[in-house]
Amino acid sequence: MPLPQPALPEPAHPNVDSMLSRKFGKEVANYFSGSPLNRVSFLRPDHAFLSQALKHPSTSFILFNKLEPLIKSGTELAYANFNEVQPIIGTDPFEKTEADVIKEYNSSTYVPQIVFLGLDERKEGFQYKDHYKGQPYFAVDVTPKESVTAAAEALIKDVEGRGLSFSKGRMHLSLPAQEAAIYAEARHLLDWNARNPFCASCGYPTLSVNAGFKRTCPPRDIAPSIATPDRPPCVTRTGISNLSFPRTDPTVIMAVVSADGQRILLGRNKRFPPYWFSTLAGFLEPAESVEEAVRREVWEESGIHLGRVVIHSTQPWPYPANLMIGAIGQAIPDGEKIHLGHDAELEDARWFGAEEVREALQVGTSGIGEDAGPGYKEGGLRLPPKTAIANQLITAVVEGFATGAPSL
Amino acid sequence: MPLPQPALPEPAHPNVDSMLSRKFGKEVANYFSGSPLNRVSFLRPDHAFLSQALKHPSTSFILFNKLEPLIKSGTELAYANFNEVQPIIGTDPFEKTEADVIKEYNSSTYVPQIVFLGLDERKEGFQYKDHYKGQPYFAVDVTPKESVTAAAEALIKDVEGRGLSFSKGRMHLSLPAQEAAIYAEARHLLDWNARNPFCASCGYPTLSVNAGFKRTCPPRDIAPSIATPDRPPCVTRTGISNLSFPRTDPTVIMAVVSADGQRILLGRNKRFPPYWFSTLAGFLEPAESVEEAVRREVWEESGIHLGRVVIHSTQPWPYPANLMIGAIGQAIPDGEKIHLGHDAELEDARWFGAEEVREALQVGTSGIGEDAGPGYKEGGLRLPPKTAIANQLITAVVEGFATGAPSL
């Protein structure tokens, strides 16, 4: 039984009649974008701000157990308050300045990960300096481990006793758009911190700072088991290194249109259910433009040669750290022959007519592990759901994006 | 004395009259894109292919010393052949399968980094299987260090005796577009390998595989100094981990247009020469769409609120690992007031009229450390050169991209 497909986020300021929207159409906002939070990223190094935000009575905490969020149901996150998380994170984890925290670094002390997500400016209560107000949001890793095992287990027992649970798998694809965006930010950051406990430059353990948005390689480690607290020099300590900052992997995903604009290329791999096809996709490589990556991936996977490529919209995808860059590309007239033998990634790729695709968008969309809708007839084309940018790209094509029809 | 500004790369298949190009205009190809090489990425794990490509008489090697390429002049790369690099890389570094190389991993052995860049299909000679032909390109790190110190010093002495030199700084911004793209691929990969010698997941040293496009965390290390060759489990060895693959950091850069379409917002920081302004820019954060990152950065740096954002074109930027995603955003009518007090990044930001910007594009463009052109008059607006995507975005705006003028 598929969960209901949530509505997509509203594009920013959809009612502003701007020249850009008259020329290019309304902005397409994809699922996992559309966050209501102002991240006030420049306040993350400010421990006084973080400390006040953390302890404010209006503050909402999203709890994660092994990267799965606490939920009320498949379509609603649950939130905790400061009193509930305090036994795990302590009375004030932001009491000291970052400089002091780095100075006192002890790799044998387990520090549960906290991420400051932003301020929901639609809700009053908390205020910092003149400009920054709204309800603060944090994410906290409450996985029972190390020194917080007992406190985390007690908290989990308590929330489960109240009918809440930690999500399993990707049912958060059914969250309302704004909650999905907040969840995506939290999951991406918690995963990045958990995935990178060591410095890739020198191999020593690192420390989370900037409220979860930076990992630093401290020059000293006062863990009792370590004979010499001073560490060797590390290049990440001089100047700015990207190793200290969260990683996001740019990915290209593209609807390919035939030279005559009448057909669309879709592919499938072995893991897809029968009759299910989607757009091609792949990681952007070093020193490629998006347009080049689109042409390379399409040729490698399908043998097709593209000319003009246009970027349509983008989608954050927190499994674990992708930015999906959605594009439409048009095949050149003598480059439409399908050849699957270069890369072995696809099991099949085919040109589909606009009518068949239009029909499938009506009756054949679903998540990859779900049943198709009630109107679907066995043997018909199946496609990804509206929450996938692939669906939005395919829709744009059949609505005339490539063929010169007016852009909304 | 500024070096001449090179021509930009030709967009792919510019002569194809596609529906996409009729609707959206000709594709803008930025500097560092437009590579003539087919990367045949799926052949990188194939050691027989790599071995044959490496030793083919037509093969070109770009040499790097501390990340600086060997050049003939400020506007031309120099290439070495297999015989010249053989004393450094050995007779056949791709003799064994990857599985065997991983099995025999010894962290005390220095292996100079080699990167397979691709095949230049315009040039005949080398062929592999039915489909893959062209002149192979490799990059090799010839920095004198560890076991290759003497061989590398001898090679460097030899090439310098022939009038070649290793570039200093970023003069490769004057390379012809196609060489710049090849250089960018090489630099990005060499830098990534050098920057990530340790596994961020477990802290142990890693090994370059896939001809420079992957780093793996071997399960055993037979270095004589290590008591127990078997290492503890590492999560990067089960399933696919992004830590094993090159990192590219998505960056947003945007020309901001006023609500009436008549003015453009430009900013400057302290490091810019007098009168020099550029577009705003910043890193995309986890779980942001490009459109959201553009709006957040513009608000954080300038206080301006944007509505519709359209992505214009993209540019690889290998210092060290960026993908610049160029966008045009339009301010909402009541969101045009400049406020520099949120983030302290900009020294100044101002709205400029289209006429002043048009004039500056004619007479005031240059690299950041160079003199403006001969027509420039002290006190006039200065702007980045054509090789910067900032220049292309500003140009698009004054040519009517946002205001509904015909595209192209």
Side-chain angles (χ1 to χ4, degrees):
Chain A
M1 177 66 185
L3 284 161
Q5 286 183 23
L8 295 182
E10 273 300 301
H13 308 292
N15 300 321
V16 174
D17 175 30
S18 75
M19 291 169 182
L20 275 177
S21 60
R22 279 205 296 276
K23 183 164 175 198
F24 294 97
K26 196 168 155 180
E27 188 171 303
V28 172
N30 289 294
Y31 195 67
F32 287 132
S33 75
S35 174
L37 304 187
N38 183 340
R39 299 182 177 207
V40 286
S41 71
F42 45 90
L43 293 179
R44 291 177 196 142
D46 180 344
H47 78 110
F49 164 74
L50 293 172
S51 179
Q52 288 172 41
L54 188 84
K55 290 182 286 189
H56 195 265
S58 74
T59 301
S60 285
F61 292 84
I62 312 179
L63 310 184
F64 283 77
N65 182 2
K66 293 177 192 142
L67 294 176
E68 296 293 1
L70 187 68
I71 54 174
K72 279 188 187 168
S73 72
T75 58
E76 197 175 358
L77 290 176
Y79 297 96
N81 62 38
F82 179 67
N83 289 337
E84 292 170 295
V85 295
Q86 190 268 323
I88 292 166
I89 64 176
T91 49
D92 189 356
F94 299 117
E95 187 185 4
K96 294 178 183 167
T97 66
E98 263 190 14
D100 282 342
V101 170
I102 294 169
K103 216 177 282 173
E104 296 163 18
Y105 175 62
N106 178 338
S107 63
S108 69
T109 304
Y110 175 71
V111 182
Q113 186 65 50
I114 307 175
V115 177
F116 170 65
L117 300 169
L119 301 174
D120 185 342
E121 294 173 321
R122 301 166 307 177
K123 297 175 189 161
E124 298 198 357
F126 175 74
Q127 171 154 4
Y128 187 72
K129 295 188 176 165
D130 276 354
H131 291 283
Y132 315 112
K133 36 191 123 174
Q135 180 180 328
Y137 278 72
F138 286 84
V140 176
D141 180 8
V142 301
T143 308
K145 61 192 284 196
E146 312 259 350
S147 56
V148 305
T149 305
E153 281 171 352
L155 174 63
I156 290 169
K157 195 174 164 194
D158 177 59
V159 296
E160 289 181 345
R162 284 186 278 138
L164 308 177
S165 66
F166 288 91
S167 156
K168 296 280 168 276
R170 297 193 184 172
M171 66 187 340
H172 8 286
L173 286 171
S174 306
L175 293 173
Q178 295 194 331
E179 285 208 314
I182 296 172
Y183 154 78
E185 181 187 1
R187 191 197 189 283
H188 187 143
L189 271 304
L190 289 174
D191 179 279
W192 172 73
N193 277 283
R195 193 179 282 260
N196 290 272
F198 293 92
C199 177
S201 180
C202 73
Y204 284 74
T206 52
L207 167 69
S208 170
V209 293
N210 271 216
F213 280 78
K214 187 174 178 185
R215 294 193 72 84
T216 193
C217 183
R220 275 173 71 84
D221 178 359
I222 59 169
S225 64
I226 290 174
T228 324
D230 287 319
R231 293 175 168 189
C234 175
V235 72
T236 66
R237 283 181 220 129
T238 51
I240 291 167
S241 170
N242 64 354
L243 297 180
S244 303
F245 296 96
R247 173 173 173 150
T248 300
D249 295 308
T251 309
V252 293
I253 178 163
M254 43 274 169
V256 171
V257 188
S258 59
D260 66 1
Q262 299 306 303
R263 289 157 299 141
I264 175 168
L265 178 81
L266 300 171
R268 51 173 281 115
N269 69 37
K270 277 176 285 189
R271 292 168 295 119
F272 289 178
Y275 317 118
W276 213 87
F277 282 73
S278 187
T279 52
L280 310 193
F283 286 104
L284 178 122
E285 292 207 339
E288 279 183 327
S289 69
V290 168
E291 297 85 343
E292 289 178 301
V294 167
R295 284 188 279 265
R296 177 184 54 72
E297 279 287 338
V298 167
W299 177 79
E300 289 185 351
E301 293 190 2
S302 72
I304 285 164
H305 293 269
L306 296 187
R308 181 75 164 105
V309 170
V310 174
I311 301 175
H312 173 267
S313 62
T314 61
Q315 178 175 43
W317 192 257
Y319 304 109
N322 294 351
L323 169 70
M324 311 282 274
I325 304 173
I328 317 268
Q330 193 153 19
I332 58 174
D334 59 353
E336 294 187 339
K337 196 171 164 224
I338 292 172
H339 173 90
L340 302 177
H342 300 308
D343 200 346
E345 219 160 287
L346 295 183
E347 180 187 85
D348 194 8
R350 290 189 218 163
W351 289 106
F352 290 87
E355 268 320 303
E356 185 173 2
V357 173
R358 218 171 261 127
E359 164 88 5
L361 286 169
Q362 292 297 321
V363 301
T365 67
S366 69
I368 203 167
E370 296 170 358
D371 294 336
Y376 175 76
K377 288 199 194 75
E378 176 81 7
L381 175 64
R382 296 182 62 185
L383 292 172
K386 280 192 171 30
T387 44
I389 190 173
N391 178 299
Q392 299 301 317
L393 296 172
I394 295 167
T395 301
V397 166
V398 300
E399 285 179 354
F401 182 89
T403 49
S407 46
L408 204 78
Chain B
M1 178 65 185
L3 283 162
Q5 286 182 24
L8 296 182
E10 274 300 301
H13 308 292
N15 301 321
V16 174
D17 176 30
S18 74
M19 293 169 180
L20 276 178
S21 60
R22 279 204 295 278
K23 183 164 175 200
F24 293 96
K26 195 167 156 180
E27 188 171 303
V28 172
N30 289 293
Y31 195 67
F32 288 132
S33 75
S35 174
L37 304 186
N38 183 339
R39 299 182 177 207
V40 287
S41 71
F42 45 89
L43 294 179
R44 289 176 198 144
D46 180 344
H47 78 111
F49 164 74
L50 293 172
S51 179
Q52 289 172 39
L54 187 84
K55 290 182 285 189
H56 194 267
S58 74
T59 302
S60 285
F61 293 84
I62 312 180
L63 310 185
F64 282 79
N65 183 2
K66 293 176 192 142
L67 294 177
E68 295 292 1
L70 188 68
I71 53 174
K72 279 189 186 166
S73 73
T75 59
E76 199 175 356
L77 291 177
Y79 296 97
N81 61 39
F82 179 67
N83 290 337
E84 292 171 296
V85 295
Q86 190 268 322
I88 293 167
I89 64 176
T91 49
D92 189 356
F94 299 116
E95 187 185 3
K96 294 177 183 168
T97 65
E98 264 190 15
D100 281 342
V101 169
I102 293 169
K103 216 176 282 172
E104 296 163 18
Y105 176 62
N106 179 338
S107 64
S108 69
T109 304
Y110 175 71
V111 182
Q113 186 65 49
I114 307 175
V115 177
F116 170 65
L117 300 169
L119 302 174
D120 185 342
E121 294 173 321
R122 301 166 307 177
K123 296 177 191 161
E124 299 197 356
F126 176 75
Q127 172 154 2
Y128 187 73
K129 296 187 175 166
D130 276 354
H131 290 284
Y132 315 113
K133 35 191 124 175
Q135 180 180 329
Y137 278 71
F138 286 85
V140 177
D141 180 7
V142 301
T143 308
K145 60 191 284 197
E146 312 258 351
S147 57
V148 305
T149 305
E153 282 172 351
L155 174 63
I156 290 169
K157 197 175 162 192
D158 177 57
V159 295
E160 288 182 345
R162 285 186 277 139
L164 307 177
S165 65
F166 289 92
S167 155
K168 297 278 167 278
R170 295 191 185 173
M171 67 185 345
H172 8 285
L173 287 171
S174 305
L175 293 174
Q178 295 194 330
E179 285 209 314
I182 297 172
Y183 154 79
E185 182 187 0
R187 192 198 187 283
H188 188 142
L189 270 304
L190 289 174
D191 179 279
W192 174 72
N193 277 283
R195 193 180 281 260
N196 291 272
F198 293 92
C199 177
S201 179
C202 73
Y204 284 73
T206 52
L207 167 69
S208 170
V209 293
N210 272 215
F213 280 77
K214 187 174 178 185
R215 294 193 71 84
T216 194
C217 183
R220 275 173 69 85
D221 178 358
I222 60 170
S225 64
I226 290 173
T228 323
D230 287 320
R231 293 175 167 189
C234 175
V235 73
T236 67
R237 283 180 220 130
T238 52
I240 290 167
S241 170
N242 64 355
L243 297 180
S244 303
F245 296 96
R247 174 172 172 151
T248 300
D249 294 309
T251 309
V252 293
I253 178 164
M254 43 273 171
V256 171
V257 188
S258 59
D260 66 2
Q262 299 305 303
R263 288 157 299 141
I264 175 166
L265 177 81
L266 300 171
R268 52 173 280 114
N269 68 38
K270 276 177 285 187
R271 292 168 294 120
F272 289 178
Y275 317 118
W276 213 87
F277 283 73
S278 187
T279 53
L280 310 193
F283 287 104
L284 178 122
E285 292 207 340
E288 278 183 326
S289 69
V290 168
E291 297 85 344
E292 288 178 303
V294 166
R295 285 188 279 265
R296 177 185 52 73
E297 279 287 339
V298 167
W299 177 78
E300 288 186 352
E301 293 190 2
S302 73
I304 284 164
H305 293 270
L306 295 187
R308 180 74 163 106
V309 170
V310 173
I311 300 175
H312 174 267
S313 62
T314 62
Q315 178 175 42
W317 193 257
Y319 303 109
N322 294 351
L323 169 69
M324 311 281 273
I325 304 173
I328 316 269
Q330 193 152 20
I332 58 173
D334 59 353
E336 294 187 339
K337 197 171 163 222
I338 292 171
H339 173 90
L340 302 177
H342 300 308
D343 199 347
E345 220 161 287
L346 295 182
E347 181 188 84
D348 195 7
R350 288 189 219 163
W351 290 105
F352 290 87
E355 268 320 304
E356 186 173 2
V357 173
R358 219 171 260 129
E359 164 87 6
L361 286 170
Q362 291 297 321
V363 302
T365 68
S366 69
I368 203 168
E370 295 171 357
D371 294 337
Y376 175 76
K377 288 200 195 74
E378 176 81 8
L381 175 63
R382 297 181 61 184
L383 292 172
K386 282 192 171 28
T387 44
I389 190 171
N391 178 300
Q392 298 301 318
L393 297 172
I394 295 167
T395 301
V397 166
V398 300
E399 286 179 354
F401 182 90
T403 49
S407 39
L408 202 81

